[in-house]
Amino acid sequence: MSSATQRRRHEVLRAIVADYIASQEPVGSKTLVDRHSLGVSSATIRNDMAALESEGYIEQQHASSGRIPTQKGYRLFVDSINEVKPLSQAEHAAISRFLNEGVDVEDVLRRSVQLLSQLTRQAAVVQLPTLKVSRVRHCEVVTISALRLLLVLITDTGRVEQRNVELGAALSVEQAARLKEVLNQALVGKTLSDASVSLADLASNAPEDIRDAVIRSSTVLIETLVEAPSDRLILAGASNLSRMSGDLPAVLEALEEQVVVLKLLSTARDLGEVQVSIGEENEDEDLYTTSIVTTGYGATGATFGGLGVVGPTYMDYLGTMSKVSAVAHYVSRVLAGQ
């Protein structure tokens, strides 16, 4: 097969994908000739469609119907996208303005998925900044009662974690202040995994009068934040999936399983790179009828988390990829204070 024939067949496939995404109706050869300037006869188009079908890129649901793309066809279409098309200046301005109105990190991320679900008409999800890459900015010690403390951990990504510590004996105001100083010396500027060594060593070096409080506080931090990090998700626009065919309850249940979605977002590690997972490429079979578009957000050299959208395999890939990329870009800028 000549390279010219191969290029033309790829153009035919792209036209079929574009038309099917727009209408969700099977596409026939006459429609392709009428709508697209392919420069060949209807008979040639039919031959190309027959070849694409034999190669598994399109299929015919009924003998008299047109063709629809297969998951293999969508994959070739997505892989042939050389660059993500830019949004308009008005769209960029609207995204920037809406995200800049966020009052804190969680509010910015909540706004990002609300905006992304509206822009794409799909379900949108974002992972709160992962504790694995966040560095501790400060640890506050708050006395709740005579035998209970509240540790408030603030990271450089703006994430706030709170943990209760039950004490064996009451602390004075001065002792609570020294506990705070000891904890901050071990934590500030470090990731929690790096700080775990310092936390484990605190007991042997802590002043005798606050040693028990130091041990209890270190144990809570290590057991709840280092050994079992609690990455959280924000989901928006699940109702947009109601028009999907297939087992919608199973799809929604899979999205509500945070472990499943976190695994999907964990692959979005490179800033600026958009990834697309189509149909059976998704690990969870409940998501076989969906496509998932993801990317990472963060700062130079560090990915804080992933965000993306979940929709039907016939989603608008070009538009969705550009919108996911743009929202991630502005989330990163807002979190960096730019």
Side-chain angles (χ1 to χ4, degrees), residues 317-328:
Y317 289 97
L318 277 169
T320 300
M321 291 168 69
S322 66
K323 288 161 185 170
V324 168
S325 178
V327 170

Side-chain angles (χ1 to χ4, degrees), residues 261-277:
V261 183
L262 280 168
K263 189 178 294 185
L264 293 169
L265 294 178
S266 67
T267 62
R269 306 315 306 161
D270 296 325
L271 300 179
E273 180 181 332
V274 178
Q275 298 183 9
V276 181
S277 179

Side-chain angles (χ1 to χ4, degrees), residues 146-219:
L147 296 177
R148 177 177 292 179
L149 297 177
L150 176 67
L151 303 182
V152 182
L153 220 63
I154 304 170
T155 73
D156 59 353
T157 59
R159 183 162 176 172
V160 178
E161 292 288 339
Q162 300 181 5
R163 294 295 185 272
N164 286 321
V165 178
E166 302 294 334
L167 298 175
L171 295 180
S172 67
V173 174
E174 185 269 335
Q175 287 173 323
R178 284 193 290 131
L179 172 63
K180 172 183 167 181
E181 181 180 354
V182 167
L183 292 175
N184 276 286
Q185 286 176 350
L187 292 167
V188 172
K190 300 176 183 176
T191 64
L192 284 170
S193 57
D194 290 340
S196 61
V197 176
S198 300
L199 288 170
D201 291 340
L202 284 182
S204 58
N205 300 318
E208 180 65 33
D209 63 326
I210 62 169
R211 181 169 296 165
D212 182 67
V214 168
I215 293 172
R216 290 171 183 265
S217 298
S218 300
T219 300

Side-chain angles (χ1 to χ4, degrees), residues 57-71:
Y57 294 112
I58 58 177
E59 63 183 359
Q60 190 174 30
Q61 292 181 310
H62 308 289
S64 60
S65 69
R67 307 310 199 274
I68 67 172
T70 63
Q71 292 181 10

Side-chain angles (χ1 to χ4, degrees), residues 71-318:
Q71 292 181 10
K72 183 180 178 181
Y74 285 127
R75 171 47 61 194
L76 182 61
F77 174 81
V78 169
D79 289 346
S80 69
I81 297 173
N82 295 321
E83 59 181 352
V84 176
K85 68 177 182 180
L87 301 184
S88 68
Q89 288 187 342
E91 288 173 316
H92 277 292
I95 293 172
S96 178
R97 183 170 57 251
F98 184 67
L99 294 181
N100 272 303
E101 292 174 354
V103 297
D104 55 27
V105 172
E106 188 161 339
D107 188 35
V108 169
L109 295 177
R110 194 172 302 281
R111 285 168 173 265
S112 75
V113 289
Q114 290 171 348
L115 181 62
L116 201 49
S117 69
Q118 291 169 6
L119 290 172
T120 63
R121 297 184 180 179
Q122 317 289 358
V125 63
V126 67
Q127 175 187 17
L128 269 67
T130 174
L131 290 171
K132 294 177 182 177
V133 299
S134 302
R135 294 183 180 274
V136 178
R137 179 179 292 169
H138 180 69
C139 179
E140 188 61 50
V141 176
V142 180
T143 301
I144 298 177
S145 65
L147 296 177
R148 177 177 292 179
L149 297 177
L150 176 67
L151 303 182
V152 182
L153 220 63
I154 304 170
T155 73
D156 59 353
T157 59
R159 183 162 176 172
V160 178
E161 292 288 339
Q162 300 181 5
R163 294 295 185 272
N164 286 321
V165 178
E166 302 294 334
L167 298 175
L171 295 180
S172 67
V173 174
E174 185 269 335
Q175 287 173 323
R178 284 193 290 131
L179 172 63
K180 172 183 167 181
E181 181 180 354
V182 167
L183 292 175
N184 276 286
Q185 286 176 350
L187 292 167
V188 172
K190 300 176 183 176
T191 64
L192 284 170
S193 57
D194 290 340
S196 61
V197 176
S198 300
L199 288 170
D201 291 340
L202 284 182
S204 58
N205 300 318
E208 180 65 33
D209 63 326
I210 62 169
R211 181 169 296 165
D212 182 67
V214 168
I215 293 172
R216 290 171 183 265
S217 298
S218 300
T219 300
V220 167
L221 292 173
I222 291 173
E223 289 182 350
T224 66
L225 294 178
V226 177
E227 295 178 353
S230 55
D231 294 329
R232 291 185 292 145
L233 299 171
I234 302 173
L235 176 68
S239 60
N240 288 330
L241 299 179
S242 60
R243 65 185 185 280
M244 279 182 56
S245 58
D247 191 354
L248 179 59
V251 172
L252 295 177
E253 185 176 342
L255 290 180
E256 290 172 359
E257 288 287 338
Q258 295 222 349
V259 174
V260 171
V261 183
L262 280 168
K263 189 178 294 185
L264 293 169
L265 294 178
S266 67
T267 62
R269 306 315 306 161
D270 296 325
L271 300 179
E273 180 181 332
V274 178
Q275 298 183 9
V276 181
S277 179
I278 302 170
E280 294 183 12
E281 294 172 0
N282 296 312
E283 200 170 308
D284 193 303
E285 64 179 283
D286 289 333
L287 298 175
Y288 281 1
T289 59
T290 71
S291 285
I292 300 167
V293 180
T294 59
T295 192
Y297 71 89
T300 304
T303 302
F304 297 163
L307 66 82
V309 300
V310 180
T313 53
Y314 52 81
M315 70 164 58
D316 172 13
Y317 289 97
L318 277 169

